[in-house]
Amino acid sequence: MKKKLLILLGTLYTLALVAVAGVVIYFWSYISAVDWSIVNPSNIRALYQGLTESPEVTSEKKKKIDSERSEEIRNYVNMELRDYTDEEKQQIESGEKTETQILAQIITETVENNNTQTENADKPQTETPGQAEDKTPEKEPDKTPQKPQTGETAEQIVARHVSKLYAIQGEFEGRVGALASSASNWVKAYKKANPGITWRDAKVAGVQHFSGTASQIENECYARVDAQVAQLVTELKAIGADTSIASTIKSTAYAEMDARKAQIVQEGYAKLNG
């Protein structure tokens, strides 16, 4: 029995090696053209995910990552937040906005409203004749965290940095989209200028021409995310606030970018076989 199991495992291992060798041989022209600085664990995961998952599964993964992060942020903030409106729920469901994006807006809105209410309540009330003996209802304790004299609350700091991270992500997607469009146009122009070559050769030339730019865009994006998270930690420490939320924001931002890269792989594969 043990011998049969070893033979079976050896056969499966051999088949796996043959399959990998076949894929490498088939795609060697593309692989050899790639800037190897772009080959890293994150991109390998994204490539595997993009080629083995359906777009629907990847999209659901992104929503789950977003939902878990927003829940962590809700647990972190020391205030009561309103529920999402029907319009906001529709935006989350459609993918127009993420749950975390909307939550950041709600946090900012809540802090501003609470500060306005506190300022109005602290203003001295002018008494009119005959009203001196009126009793003012006792004010309930304010659940809003105390705002430093010259700075923001931890909630405001988190919301601001989350918003900036989404701005970075939006810029990243815009640059990737523009790069994809440029690459497509470049390949078509290259093939037209060199009618003797195949479309495969033209695509390989396109990979050689643009892979360095793709690597640069990705590296810049991650560097800006890291810088933003580091700044978040610095600002939270400056007011003596808990910094644990920073690691959650960073890890989920990375996971979300991996999922987005997987979607880019899926979109590219669909176009290639369309």
Side-chain angles (χ1 to χ4, degrees):
M1 180 68 181
K2 189 174 181 180
K3 186 177 179 180
K4 287 182 179 179
L5 180 60
L6 289 173
I7 291 172
L8 177 61
L9 290 174
T11 303
L12 290 174
Y13 182 67
T14 302
L15 288 173
L17 285 177
V18 169
V20 170
V23 170
V24 170
I25 291 170
Y26 183 78
F27 288 106
W28 177 248
S29 55
Y30 292 103
I31 293 172
S32 61
V34 170
D35 177 356
W36 283 93
S37 66
I38 205 170
V39 180
N40 54 51
S42 171
N43 287 339
I44 292 172
R45 282 195 303 270
L47 179 62
Y48 178 78
Q49 189 177 336
L51 294 176
T52 59
E53 291 180 355
S54 68
E56 292 75 21
V57 169
T58 305
S59 180
E60 283 304 312
K61 275 189 175 180
K62 277 191 71 180
K63 285 185 178 180
K64 184 179 179 183
I65 292 167
D66 175 42
S67 178
E68 290 174 351
R69 178 178 50 215
S70 62
E71 185 62 28
E72 288 277 354
I73 293 174
R74 272 189 181 273
N75 292 336
Y76 176 83
V77 301
N78 184 30
M79 62 173 67
E80 291 182 5
L81 301 174
R82 66 169 174 79
D83 293 330
Y84 301 129
T85 64
D86 290 340
E87 181 183 356
E88 288 168 342
K89 289 177 182 177
Q90 288 175 358
Q91 289 174 329
I92 294 170
E93 187 60 33
S94 68
E96 180 184 345
K97 288 186 178 181
T98 67
E99 188 172 348
T100 309
Q101 275 179 298
I102 291 175
L103 182 61
Q105 294 171 357
I106 292 173
I107 291 171
T108 301
E109 164 196 308
T110 303
V111 171
E112 289 175 352
N113 288 342
N114 286 342
N115 286 342
T116 300
Q117 291 174 7
T118 301
E119 288 170 5
N120 290 338
D122 290 341
K123 287 180 181 178
Q125 300 296 318
T126 304
E127 293 182 353
T128 56
Q131 290 183 330
E133 59 272 19
D134 288 348
K135 291 184 179 180
T136 303
E138 191 173 327
K139 193 170 59 173
E140 292 184 6
D142 186 6
K143 294 182 180 180
T144 306
Q146 289 299 308
K147 183 175 180 179
Q149 292 295 318
T150 58
E152 300 169 296
T153 64
E155 287 77 8
Q156 285 175 300
I157 292 171
V158 169
R160 175 164 53 80
H161 282 284
V162 165
S163 296
K164 286 186 177 181
L165 284 170
Y166 275 104
I168 292 171
Q169 181 180 321
E171 184 182 328
F172 168 71
E173 294 202 13
R175 292 177 69 185
V176 168
L179 181 66
S181 179
S182 296
S184 177
N185 293 334
W186 189 93
V187 168
K188 290 174 183 175
Y190 186 81
K191 178 68 174 71
K192 186 176 180 180
N194 299 274
I197 67 171
T198 64
W199 276 107
R200 182 186 182 89
D201 290 337
K203 290 173 183 176
V204 169
V207 171
Q208 289 176 323
H209 188 77
F210 286 99
S211 62
T213 305
S215 178
Q216 180 184 354
I217 291 173
E218 181 189 31
N219 291 337
E220 285 179 8
C221 181
Y222 279 105
R224 290 179 65 189
V225 168
D226 290 346
Q228 199 66 226
V229 173
Q231 185 63 30
L232 167 63
V233 172
T234 298
E235 292 182 20
L236 289 176
K237 283 183 176 179
I239 63 170
D242 177 16
T243 62
S244 60
I245 193 65
S247 61
T248 297
I249 290 174
K250 180 176 179 177
S251 62
T252 53
Y254 271 47
E256 196 168 48
M257 284 193 287
D258 282 352
R260 179 59 190 124
K261 285 188 288 188
Q263 287 180 323
I264 291 170
V265 170
Q266 291 163 349
E267 291 162 5
Y269 187 77
K271 288 179 181 178
L272 189 65
N273 293 277

